[in-house]
């Protein structure tokens, strides 16, 4: 699978080792550049969320549909003042899970300084405080909200290492801040609070949110109804066709195992969902390269228990397996 074509000027992409590269990365962002940076979930492709031209460059670099909103990253809850309005449930969830892999879709504050491209025309904004000190150091150094979708061509597998970013976006962005592999490995959980509705499974299990709220969450994860990032039906897709819930290797596919189901690669030989989540995108990329090298059309994936982080993994796999126009 080659790079997805994108419009925009070709750029020389720097690799900035962390933590020394934080200051240089922040300068690039303030100047309107595009910088990929690691969070606990995946690498994000950052731009100054108040700069319309910079945000437009994200869409161009990723080849991203303009109707798909972006997540705004801030270093602390005080930085949301003037950007979003937090109700009682949002404040309780922020106290429990921020910093961390939870995104909340909140009412947009009056006169919020964000580019309208960030919200894709909605009257809400998706926000989070990332869980790694490195990401928060960068955000503090920038001093502005940073819009950051996953740092990969739109619809393709998310990046959990700097080399994944460069494979998909080298020449389209200004720099990648290399902070090593991401620890969680799947994107943040997204919900709309007050009252809370789950929009996307992710790094915070729904059960943990329900424990804070003291009630069951309602869910609206319908593919194609875009209220928040990551709700497109076809997403996270490698070049090979993905087949789910496969119990054994097949001659025409590369097998991703889990637990007792062996494979060419294993998400977690011990059946550990946290390990599987952390490995998911990196192994999808590796399986896709293996399938291409072997001339095989499929990636087969063992069954994943649909509980806790397993629901987030299965959500990403279902979107990876969804039909795409280029696979008709």
């Amino acid at each position: 699978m080659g790079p997805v074509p994108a419009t925009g000027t070709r750029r020389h992409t720097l690799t900035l080792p962390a933590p020394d590269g934080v200051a240089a990365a922040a300068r690039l962002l303030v100047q309107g550049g595009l910088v990929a940076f690691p969070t606990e979930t995946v690498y994000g492709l950052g731009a100054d969320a108040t700069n319309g031209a910079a945000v437009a460059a994200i869409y161009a670099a990723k080849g991203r549909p303009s109707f798909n909103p972006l997540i705004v990253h801030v270093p602390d809850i005080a930085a949301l003042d003037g950007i979003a309005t937090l109700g009682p449930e949002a404040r309780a969830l922020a106290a429990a899970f921020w910093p961390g892999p939870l995104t909340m879709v909140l009412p947009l504050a009056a006169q919020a300084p964000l580019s309208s491209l960030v919200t894709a025309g909605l009257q809400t904004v998706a926000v989070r405080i990332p869980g790694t000190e490195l990401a928060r150091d960068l955000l503090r150094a920038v001093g502005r909200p940073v819009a950051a979708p996953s740092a990969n061509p739109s619809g393709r597998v998310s990046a959990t290492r700097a080399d994944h970013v460069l494979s998909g976006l080298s020449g389209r962005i200004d720099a990648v801040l290399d902070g090593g592999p991401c620890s969680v490995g799947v994107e943040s959980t997204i919900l709309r609070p007050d009252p809370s509705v789950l929009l996307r499974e992710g790094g915070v299990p729904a059960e943990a949110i329900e424990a804070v709220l003291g009630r069951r969450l309602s869910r609206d994860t319908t593919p194609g109804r875009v209220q928040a990032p990551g709700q497109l039906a076809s997403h996270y897709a490698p070049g090979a066709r993905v087949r789910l819930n496969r119990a054994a290797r097949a001659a025409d596919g590369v097998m991703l195992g889990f637990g007792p189901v062996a494979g060419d690669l294993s998400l977690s030989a011990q059946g550990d969902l946290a390990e599987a989540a952390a490995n998911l995108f990196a192994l999808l990329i590796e399986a896709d390269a293996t399938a291409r090298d072997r001339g095989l059309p499929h990636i087969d994936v063992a069954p994943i228990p649909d509980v806790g982080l397993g629901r987030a993994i299965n959500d990403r796999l279902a979107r990876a397996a969804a039909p795409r126009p280029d696979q008709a």
Side-chain angles (χ1 to χ4, degrees):
M1 178 184 71
V4 177
T7 58
T9 304
R10 182 142 185 103
R11 305 167 185 234
H12 175 63
T13 302
L14 302 172
T15 299
L16 303 172
D20 293 343
V22 167
R27 283 195 298 272
L28 286 168
L29 287 167
V30 170
Q31 293 165 2
L34 299 181
V35 177
F37 64 96
T39 74
E40 77 280 25
T41 57
V42 298
Y43 274 71
L45 178 55
D48 177 358
T50 70
N51 181 333
V55 176
I58 288 179
Y59 287 102
K62 284 177 63 70
R64 186 183 181 94
S66 61
F67 52 79
N68 202 2
L70 306 178
I71 296 176
V72 171
H73 294 65
V74 295
D76 51 55
I77 200 164
L80 288 177
D81 186 38
I83 294 174
T85 302
L86 285 82
E89 283 192 355
R91 290 190 179 279
L93 293 169
F97 299 113
W98 279 353
L102 175 68
T103 293
M104 290 192 280
V105 178
L106 303 173
L108 191 64
Q111 307 304 312
L114 304 178
S115 163
S116 60
L117 293 174
V118 171
T119 60
L122 301 175
Q123 293 303 305
T124 54
V125 58
V127 295
R128 90 174 182 102
I129 300 172
T132 61
E133 191 66 35
L134 174 63
R136 297 196 301 277
D137 283 346
L138 175 63
L139 295 169
R140 282 188 286 264
V142 173
R144 304 172 188 177
V146 171
S150 57
N152 54 278
S154 187
R156 301 304 188 185
V157 180
S158 297
T160 57
R161 298 198 310 251
D163 62 310
H164 296 164
V165 176
L166 293 170
S167 176
L169 296 177
S170 182
R172 306 188 203 177
I173 67 176
D174 295 291
V176 55
L177 181 64
D178 186 354
C182 302
S183 60
V184 174
V186 293
E187 294 90 347
S188 58
T189 301
I190 301 181
L191 60 80
R192 185 182 67 243
D194 297 293
S196 292
V197 177
L198 183 68
L199 301 179
R200 183 180 75 180
E201 301 275 5
V204 177
E207 294 91 336
I209 297 170
E210 290 170 342
V212 171
L213 297 175
R215 61 173 174 80
R216 295 294 300 275
L217 274 173
S218 59
R219 287 166 164 78
D220 186 356
T221 56
T222 306
R225 185 182 181 195
V226 180
Q227 306 173 72
Q231 286 190 296
L232 294 178
S234 177
H235 206 41
Y236 314 108
R241 293 174 185 259
V242 176
R243 300 186 297 199
L244 305 180
N245 298 312
R246 309 290 287 192
R249 288 186 179 92
D252 62 346
V254 174
M255 184 71 187
L256 275 183
F258 177 81
V261 179
D264 299 283
L265 304 163
S266 182
L267 292 166
S268 172
Q270 292 73 39
D272 184 299
L273 290 173
E275 181 183 16
N279 287 336
L280 177 62
F281 291 132
L283 289 188
L284 273 175
I285 291 169
E286 186 175 347
D288 194 36
T290 301
R292 185 169 60 248
D293 291 345
R294 296 179 183 176
L296 300 175
H298 297 113
I299 296 171
D300 295 329
V301 186
I304 306 295
D306 202 42
V307 296
L309 278 176
R311 285 197 298 272
I313 296 168
N314 284 326
D315 171 83
R316 304 312 188 273
L317 288 171
R319 295 173 195 271
R324 305 198 313 269
D326 65 327
Q327 290 185 338

